[in-house]
Amino acid sequence: MLHGNFRRSILIASLAIMGTVGLGSISAQEKPPIRIGFGMAETGPMAANGKAAKLAMEIWREDTNAKGGLLGRKVEFVTYDDQTNPSLVPGIYTKLIESDKVDLVVSGYGTNLIAPAMPTIMQRNLTFVSLFGTAVNQKFNYPRYFQVMPNGEDPAVGLTYGFFEAAMQAQPKPLTVALVGGDAEYPALALEGARINAKKMGLKIVYDKTYPPNTTDYAPVIRAIQATNPDIVFVASYPPDTVGMIRAANEVGLKTKVFGGGMIGLGFAAVKKQLGPLLNGVLGFELYVPEPTIKFPGVEGFLKKYQGRAEKEGVDPLGFYLPPYGYAMMEVLGTAIEKVGSLDQGKMAEYMHKNTFKTVVGDITFADNGEWKVGRPLYVQYKGVTGNDIDQFRKPGKAPIMFPKDLKSGELRTPYEEARKQ
């Protein structure tokens, strides 16, 4: 009899366990993952940045899921390689929305790969958080667009203002400026902002020209600038010509108080390695540097994770330029979902417009046009760079911040011909 009772107890316990497992399965089915879709450049000219951004976003997804996901649901990504080809972008986002049935979408990297997605997003009234699009919403004026890049409400002016604010620290006070950039989309926008800021600062523009995108010899450009004897030289450039212009300035022996500008690429480990001590004296544009004045909560922990995986993933080993902002983009989206308590696109957009977000790149508050209300591009002056080892940039002192004032960590050294000898 006792034996029969024992068997009956085992059977009841087994049924109870099975029932619990069954309920757990039902619960899991009731809470499917939140699926977030995006295109990203994994091949083509922007692949290096696209892969770095995607790794940063993956780290956010892993961190989020380790904490229980969003709304009690795990997060999954559905992604496609846009091949750095704008013509593929509309099809990718149509597929994500109509075939893959993702819950949310975010952008890929860069203006040229964000703008083509906008009509598809707008037709469906989706909330769209984007990564490093320059003034994309000026054309669309879409109220559910949000941009993660610290250029401020007026991107062209905000991007370049810090350079001029820092350059005007030179003594005696600068009076003239030369403006130069590639004949391409980004330089055109940056030069437009530079003209506005030069006028605000009371500077006389003595040179204002562009060079063809296929330029390989920049020495004639530097010599033409030198002939006007400017106090400040502002350059708007993409990575290849950033390298070319800095090399030419050193070869020609450019004489000016301040040399630099909105030179894209200075934040890349590959460009730092390539230029090494030729960076010294340049007043350049960065998005993160390990200076003691930058204490954004979580950024150091994120970079430690990123850098620990970067070499294996074959991406930028420093991760100063784009990765923290890729992580922050997803922080903004995740916070909005949690605070709203649903995936309601309209409510998320409304929340984003009304609230400040705590992220690894600091506080973000969005203006009506989806840009940052307060911009925070960094302008640094490279100092004491020796050799071509990128590990030196992991420590403070190689790129002290000149702007913004609340993050300033060094004093501007002028003239450029003296500053570059460090």
Side-chain angles (χ1 to χ4, degrees):
M1 188 70 177
L2 183 63
H3 182 67
N5 286 338
F6 178 75
R7 287 171 59 189
R8 212 165 23 248
S9 298
I10 292 294
L11 179 61
I12 292 169
S14 298
L15 290 170
I17 291 169
M18 290 173 66
T20 301
V21 171
L23 287 172
S25 299
I26 292 169
S27 176
Q29 291 170 4
E30 288 174 350
K31 288 194 173 183
I34 292 175
R35 303 172 77 230
I36 302 173
F38 56 92
M40 188 62 75
E42 298 186 61
T43 56
M46 303 301 285
N49 285 332
K51 289 178 180 178
K54 188 176 180 183
L55 174 57
M57 294 162 73
E58 286 287 355
I59 292 171
W60 171 84
R61 186 182 64 81
E62 293 163 8
D63 288 347
T64 299
N65 285 340
K67 297 173 185 175
L70 298 172
L71 307 178
R73 300 162 62 182
K74 295 292 185 181
V75 175
E76 287 184 358
F77 286 161
V78 181
T79 70
Y80 295 99
D81 178 12
D82 63 31
Q83 302 173 37
T84 322
N85 184 345
S87 69
L88 298 180
V89 171
I92 286 174
Y93 280 86
T94 298
K95 185 176 189 304
L96 285 168
I97 297 162
E98 295 185 355
S99 300
D100 297 318
K101 306 291 185 184
V102 296
D103 298 292
L104 302 156
V105 290
V106 294
S107 85
Y109 162 69
T111 306
N112 291 347
L113 297 164
I114 295 170
M118 289 294 287
T120 304
I121 302 301
M122 293 169 65
Q123 286 167 10
R124 294 160 176 84
N125 290 317
L126 301 179
T127 293
F128 194 45
V129 188
S130 72
L131 184 64
F132 281 38
T134 303
V136 169
N137 210 26
Q138 282 186 1
K139 175 181 177 181
F140 298 102
N141 196 29
Y142 181 52
R144 296 185 181 181
Y145 171 88
F146 301 90
Q147 158 67 5
V148 177
M149 183 169 66
N151 289 347
E153 193 167 355
D154 186 342
V157 175
L159 170 66
T160 58
Y161 175 79
F163 172 84
F164 286 93
E165 181 71 21
M168 294 304 287
Q169 299 171 27
Q171 295 298 328
K173 185 178 178 181
L175 300 175
T176 59
V177 60
L179 307 177
V180 65
D183 186 9
E185 184 176 2
Y186 162 74
L189 186 75
L191 288 170
E192 177 188 330
R195 293 182 193 102
I196 293 170
N197 285 312
K199 185 176 180 181
K200 283 182 182 178
M201 302 290 176
L203 292 166
K204 180 182 178 182
I205 299 173
V206 294
Y207 183 98
D208 188 353
K209 294 185 179 181
T210 60
Y211 48 80
N214 59 352
T215 299
T216 56
D217 183 5
Y218 296 89
V221 178
I222 293 294
R223 291 193 185 97
I225 291 170
Q226 185 68 83
T228 66
N229 195 31
D231 292 327
I232 298 171
V233 177
F234 174 90
V235 181
S237 52
Y238 283 126
D241 34 321
T242 290
V243 172
M245 288 292 282
I246 291 175
R247 286 193 180 281
N250 278 267
E251 290 166 5
V252 171
L254 176 65
K255 292 180 173 58
T256 187
K257 286 186 172 69
V258 181
F259 170 70
M263 307 174 84
I264 302 299
L266 294 177
F268 302 172
V271 171
K272 285 179 164 67
K273 182 178 179 65
Q274 190 174 357
L275 289 173
L278 297 183
L279 287 168
N280 286 327
V282 173
L283 180 62
F285 167 65
E286 291 267 10
L287 288 167
Y288 172 84
V289 286
E291 286 297 292
T293 50
I294 291 184
K295 294 297 181 185
F296 305 144
V299 68
E300 291 178 355
F302 161 72
L303 284 170
K304 185 176 180 180
K305 288 182 182 179
Y306 170 89
Q307 291 172 358
R309 294 167 58 172
E311 186 174 354
K312 182 180 177 182
E313 301 279 348
V315 297
D316 188 303
L318 293 177
F320 290 169
Y321 174 68
L322 185 60
Y325 288 84
Y327 192 96
M329 175 176 72
M330 302 311 298
E331 283 186 299
V332 167
L333 185 65
T335 299
I337 291 169
E338 286 289 329
K339 294 296 184 181
V340 168
S342 75
L343 301 179
D344 185 297
Q345 304 281 318
K347 289 180 180 178
M348 287 169 55
E350 185 179 359
Y351 181 87
M352 288 181 189
H353 276 299
K354 291 181 178 179
N355 291 275
T356 296
F357 293 82
K358 303 287 183 181
T359 78
V360 295
V361 296
D363 290 356
I364 300 175
T365 305
F366 294 104
D368 289 343
N369 63 355
E371 301 288 349
W372 290 28
K373 273 191 178 179
V374 179
R376 196 173 53 244
L378 304 178
Y379 279 91
V380 308
Q381 186 178 42
Y382 300 98
K383 298 181 179 182
V385 178
T386 58
N388 299 86
D389 181 7
I390 62 167
D391 283 340
Q392 64 187 307
F393 294 101
R394 300 181 193 271
K395 301 175 183 178
K398 300 300 180 183
I401 298 167
M402 302 294 125
F403 179 89
K405 290 180 180 178
D406 61 338
L407 299 176
K408 188 175 177 181
S409 62
E411 297 300 324
L412 185 70
R413 184 175 178 185
T414 60
Y416 170 65
E417 57 266 33
E418 293 299 323
R420 71 185 182 88
K421 294 176 183 177
Q422 298 177 68

